[in-house]
Amino acid sequence: MKQRLVQLIAQTELQVTEQQVQQLVGYVELLHKWNKAYNLTSVRDPNEMLVKHIMDSIVVSAHLQGENFIDVGTGPGLPGIPLAIMCPEKNFTLLDSLGKRIRFIKQVVHELKIANVTPVQSRVEEFQPEQGFDGVISRAFASMNDMVSWCHHLPAENGHFLALKGQFSEQEVAELPEWCSVTEVKPLQIPELEGKRHLVILTAKK
Ligand SMILES: C[S@@+](CC[C@H](N)C(=O)[O-])C[C@H]1O[C@@H](n2cnc3c(N)ncnc32)[C@H](O)[C@@H]1O
């Protein structure tokens, strides 16, 4: 599995250390092991997880500006765990309302010695952080309208929302609240993944 991950990463411009590869593979192994009991993801095959979960998450690391990020509706830690492994100098709060998913993330952080992740069990609408985030990230969480509406209190003054999406939807943009606009849409290239992927960056109007 390690060899395959190295080959996939070599098809991108990302740089990784041996330790980061070990941690990413370790995460897939834990996801595969715990999935049987905890039903964490519908992707059952570890090789498929490398593409659909690891590569799909880490390509976003090239687009993160700032220090403090929150991954809302993180589920088993996606994209937050792979991003935290790729960016050890940044801090990631991983939030989900389901206790078993947050318990799994705590175990991952402990076993893989990941120092820059704070797991939080809460509904996002009820979470009141001490300070705002440079980036509010989500994947497979909600429509963009629901995401920004539920998370409107989370970005710092110059922070952004970052939504990982498949096909870019003009319909979703049309439904956004008046106070929020799309500032950038970045197409993402994920080796061996069929279908389009985009990172949509949204900002509150000043
Ligand atoms: C489809 S899963 C996506 C998980 C992960 N982001 C991924 O890409 O695989 C959506 C997650 O959002 C969580 N969720 C849904 N509504 C939420 C809310 N209001 N506050 C916090 N978490 C929520 C669910 O518990 C679930 O784990």
Side-chain angles (χ1 to χ4, degrees):
M1 185 159 39
K2 184 178 159 193
Q3 195 56 35
R4 177 156 154 73
L5 179 59
V6 170
Q7 283 167 358
L8 287 166
I9 293 173
Q11 295 173 57
T12 70
E13 294 190 346
L14 297 169
Q15 304 287 330
V16 278
T17 64
E18 171 67 23
Q19 189 197 357
Q20 286 169 321
V21 172
Q22 298 279 12
Q23 285 178 313
L24 291 169
V25 169
Y27 174 59
V28 171
E29 286 170 352
L30 288 171
L31 197 51
H32 181 56
K33 181 173 150 193
W34 283 58
N35 206 23
K36 292 165 193 153
Y38 269 37
N39 203 18
L40 297 164
T41 166
S42 60
V43 181
R44 304 268 157 201
D45 172 18
N47 276 310
E48 223 180 304
M49 288 179 188
L50 286 180
V51 175
K52 292 189 174 166
H53 290 334
I54 302 300
M55 296 308 297
D56 195 51
S57 298
I58 66 176
V59 291
V60 175
S61 63
H63 304 288
L64 297 185
Q65 288 174 5
E67 284 176 15
N68 291 311
F69 295 86
I70 181 166
D71 176 13
V72 294
T74 188
L78 292 163
I81 292 280
L83 286 175
I85 291 171
M86 291 297 287
C87 307
E89 74 291 355
K90 301 183 192 296
N91 301 309
F92 293 85
T93 298
L94 271 51
L95 177 140
D96 204 282
S97 52
L98 275 189
K100 69 175 183 176
R101 298 192 172 151
I102 294 302
R103 277 198 295 285
F104 170 70
I105 290 169
K106 285 182 177 165
Q107 188 67 20
V108 168
V109 165
H110 173 71
E111 286 201 30
L112 302 181
K113 300 184 173 48
I114 299 173
N116 56 335
V117 163
T118 306
V120 174
Q121 183 189 350
S122 170
R123 288 192 65 77
V124 70
E125 306 89 317
E126 291 160 12
F127 178 53
Q128 295 298 333
E130 282 174 16
Q131 60 174 54
F133 296 92
D134 299 315
V136 179
I137 305 171
S138 78
R139 188 185 87 149
F141 171 59
S143 68
M144 292 196 288
N145 180 26
D146 284 344
M147 179 201 178
V148 301
S149 302
W150 299 342
C151 303
H152 67 92
H153 57 300
L154 295 180
E157 177 147 5
N158 293 312
H160 304 283
F161 300 96
L162 297 100
L164 277 76
K165 290 281 170 186
Q167 191 74 38
F168 178 67
S169 161
E170 292 291 350
Q171 175 67 31
E172 270 193 62
V173 176
E175 288 167 0
L176 282 171
E178 178 274 325
W179 56 266
C180 182
S181 62
V182 173
T183 43
E184 241 180 311
V185 181
K186 294 177 185 271
L188 300 171
Q189 306 297 339
I190 292 106
E192 299 183 24
L193 188 75
E194 279 178 29
K196 291 201 162 63
R197 303 292 289 151
H198 292 91
L199 178 64
V200 184
I201 303 178
L202 305 117
T203 311
K205 292 176 193 166
K206 299 245 159 74

